Amino acid sequence: MAYGPRPVEENYWRTTVTADAAPKYQSLDGPVRCDTVVVGGGYTGLCAALYLAEAGVDVVVLEAEEPGWGASGRNGGFCCLGGAALDDRALRRRYGEADAHAFSSAKRQAVDLVDGLLDRLGIDADVHSEGETILAHRASDVAGLRQTARAMQADQNVRCEFHSAAEMAEQGLASPEFHGALTIPIGFALNPLKYALGLARAAASAGVRLFANARVLGITRHGAEWCLSTADGRVQAKRLLMATNGYSADDLPNWMAGRYLPVQSNILVTRPLTDAEIAAQGWTSAQMCYDTRRLLHYFRLMPDRRMLFGLRGAVRASDAALAETRAMARADFDRIFPAWRHVETPYFWSGLVAMARDRTPFAGPIPGLENAFAAMCYHGNGVAMGTYAGTIMAELALGRAVERPFPEFMRRPLARFPLGRYRRLLLPAAYSWYRFLDSR
Ligand SMILES: Cc1cc2nc3c(=O)[nH]c(=O)nc-3n(C[C@H](O)[C@H](O)[C@H](O)COP(=O)(O)OP(=O)(O)OC[C@H]3O[C@@H](n4cnc5c(N)ncnc54)[C@H](O)[C@@H]3O)c2cc1C
């Protein structure tokens, strides 16, 4: 069910775009030849395709549904620092100072890349929020936030602002749940579907041939070419770029088997809040926020006065599981924003992100496959990092030197998870453990 239409039936973003902004792309009937074929029409695939087309390459994008159907058209729109599930300290310990530093620079440049694309391509994506704000969900997390502020200053010369629990209300961040807040002045929030559709439009105008309802069913090698088959067509190409992230399949190509872990993320959106309701809660800030939990909550008051509230933690996809996650989201929302207990939340949906065993993102050649590349596994932080990794994948495919910060660990082939095709069975235990750690 996670791969079908059900989890996205109530996707609020769909109501924010006009038919003009979401044109129907052609379907694939019959054979097509091109230089490079990209599988997946989310940020990763579209940014790779755009980059290549602007470099004069003949590109085809095959998207199983329509551009932005996957996580890119249904996420929380936090364009912020991220991409790995390890913090800077852990990265430094594991991969050394130089690589950790390169990743910090990559994260910042990824945010700038999105900013630059919105500007250059004229995409109006309802941007707001000045950086991101992290909220301590227990008093003992305040020291960690202060430590983050010191590290950001020392390592990257970024000045963060800390607010005590008492100061949070003055900042329009009043909630009984939190014990302090740290604002990192990098990043912004956007309407994720408008960004995805804007990229698709730009790619099409740059000459990319975009096919919708074109699910790739098989990938084979014919001589020096890749041959991709769909239900009604076939594409032959010199180069293959995989950009399927959480919606990947273990046999497309076989190298994928066991190398990514799809995980659900879920979002609740309220009806527009009135000024009186906003004042009653004391949450007037337009900052995008998330808390210090391992199974984190992320939320933001959007320009249209609706509150978006996201959370992780679901391990199954069924009607019952969706209802259960929705109830859990609602209970958490009510606890964090008690003045909004009566406010309806008409939208709830979920989608798949991808995790890597090493907990770092990947962009690089697929080992053992000639002229084949992949970019994926942003650990729920792919607005900026997917844009960045897709662009790097295109540079690699062209044989260009990557001049942007590109840590060694991002190029290392994805390692296999234990349990192979049964790897998802690891999730319930991992989530129970995280929940226990979060509650201490
Ligand atoms: C609910 C939710 C909230 C999130 N919130 C945030 C956030 O606030 N900030 C942030 O940075 N990140 C967030 N993320 C993560 C972010 O959305 C993803 O990391 C990012 O969109 C990944 O982009 P992508 O292009 O790699 O993959 P996707 O956007 O998932 O695109 C993959 C595409 O591949 C297509 N596909 C798969 N198989 C085939 C096939 N065989 N043939 C053809 N096409 C195929 C799929 O249809 C899909 O459209 C969130 C994700 C979810 C689900």
Side-chain angles (χ1 to χ4, degrees):
M1 191 174 106
Y3 297 84
R6 173 70 184 91
V8 82
E9 273 168 10
E10 286 176 21
N11 179 357
Y12 168 63
W13 304 122
R14 284 279 156 204
T15 71
T16 67
V17 295
T18 59
D20 282 357
K24 293 270 166 263
Y25 287 93
Q26 60 192 318
S27 46
L28 180 68
D29 303 311
V32 163
R33 271 203 126 83
C34 63
D35 180 275
T36 301
V37 60
V38 178
V39 186
Y43 304 140
T44 306
L46 293 170
C47 288
L50 176 65
Y51 183 95
L52 289 168
E54 288 180 340
V57 177
D58 176 22
V59 188
V60 161
V61 172
L62 297 179
E63 164 53 49
E65 304 287 341
E66 55 196 75
W69 182 87
S72 299
R74 55 175 103 174
N75 64 69
F78 283 47
C79 179
C80 57
L81 301 176
L86 293 173
D87 64 19
D88 291 351
R89 231 174 322 158
L91 286 172
R92 212 173 294 132
R93 255 197 323 268
R94 198 183 278 187
Y95 299 109
E97 190 63 48
D99 245 19
H101 186 73
F103 192 58
S104 296
S105 308
K107 287 190 287 187
R108 284 183 74 171
Q109 291 204 15
V111 170
D112 292 344
L113 185 62
V114 178
D115 192 25
L117 283 170
L118 293 177
D119 192 39
R120 179 167 75 81
L121 305 173
I123 302 173
D124 180 358
D126 309 328
V127 164
H128 69 97
S129 186
E130 290 170 16
E132 58 180 316
T133 299
I134 313 171
L135 308 170
H137 80 280
R138 51 191 171 197
S140 56
D141 287 344
V142 166
L145 290 187
R146 290 193 185 276
Q147 165 62 28
T148 302
R150 281 193 294 274
M152 290 293 289
Q153 179 76 56
D155 301 343
Q156 297 174 57
N157 203 20
V158 173
R159 215 182 124 68
C160 302
E161 215 176 324
F162 180 81
H163 301 292
S164 65
E167 289 161 348
M168 282 181 67
E170 289 162 30
Q171 297 294 318
L173 300 166
S175 163
E177 178 90 351
F178 303 112
H179 299 264
L182 183 75
T183 294
I184 300 176
I186 300 169
F188 52 88
L190 49 65
N191 177 318
L193 183 60
K194 288 188 180 175
Y195 176 44
L197 294 176
L199 287 173
R201 209 167 42 238
S205 349
V208 172
R209 282 178 285 164
L210 243 163
F211 293 96
N213 304 312
R215 179 176 300 281
V216 174
L217 301 172
I219 301 179
T220 50
R221 192 83 178 140
H222 283 220
E225 282 188 320
W226 288 106
C227 186
L228 279 62
S229 55
T230 67
D232 304 309
R234 193 157 50 91
V235 175
Q236 277 174 270
K238 202 165 84 196
R239 284 180 286 231
L240 166 69
L241 269 54
M242 292 304 300
T244 44
N245 203 45
Y247 292 89
S248 299
D250 271 16
D251 58 350
L252 288 174
N254 284 333
W255 174 81
M256 287 279 185
R259 295 184 197 270
Y260 61 95
L261 182 66
V263 168
Q264 292 178 65
S265 196
N266 316 275
I267 294 181
L268 200 62
V269 166
T270 68
R271 63 157 164 79
L273 295 155
T274 64
D275 289 348
E277 284 167 340
I278 288 172
Q281 176 59 47
W283 192 283
T284 54
S285 171
Q287 280 299 104
M288 55 179 178
C289 298
Y290 60 93
D291 64 23
T292 42
R293 289 181 169 85
R294 283 171 179 80
L295 294 177
L296 56 80
H297 300 98
Y298 48 96
F299 38 90
R300 60 187 175 100
L301 184 59
M302 300 193 284
D304 61 6
R305 321 304 276 162
R306 293 174 189 269
M307 192 70 177
L308 174 151
F309 186 83
L311 82 168
R312 303 256 180 87
V315 288
R316 280 172 301 118
S318 62
D319 277 315
L322 267 185
E324 209 177 290
T325 309
R326 184 180 201 141
M328 190 165 76
R330 183 68 217 212
D332 290 355
F333 175 88
D334 289 349
R335 197 184 62 245
I336 294 174
F337 304 108
W340 296 341
R341 282 204 170 120
H342 65 287
V343 172
E344 300 82 5
T345 42
Y347 298 97
F348 175 77
W349 69 93
S350 74
L352 294 174
V353 306
M355 323 290 267
R357 181 167 186 187
D358 289 339
R359 293 189 271 169
T360 52
F362 173 67
I366 301 181
L369 302 187
E370 209 177 326
N371 288 328
F373 303 81
M376 57 198 290
C377 296
Y378 317 119
H379 303 90
N381 258 292
V383 174
M385 194 47 76
T387 300
Y388 192 77
T391 306
I392 286 184
M393 172 166 65
E395 289 174 324
L396 293 171
L398 274 184
R400 289 188 177 167
V402 178
E403 306 283 354
R404 325 164 186 271
F406 186 28
E408 200 54 46
F409 60 73
M410 271 184 79
R411 321 166 186 218
R412 285 191 358 189
L414 292 167
R416 282 216 162 94
F417 279 91
L419 305 188
R421 60 188 300 215
Y422 300 107
R423 60 197 179 281
R424 273 175 255 213
L425 296 176
L426 296 167
L427 266 182
Y431 277 9
S432 299
W433 175 238
Y434 292 158
R435 226 168 248 126
F436 167 72
L437 293 176
D438 285 343
S439 66
R440 283 191 311 162

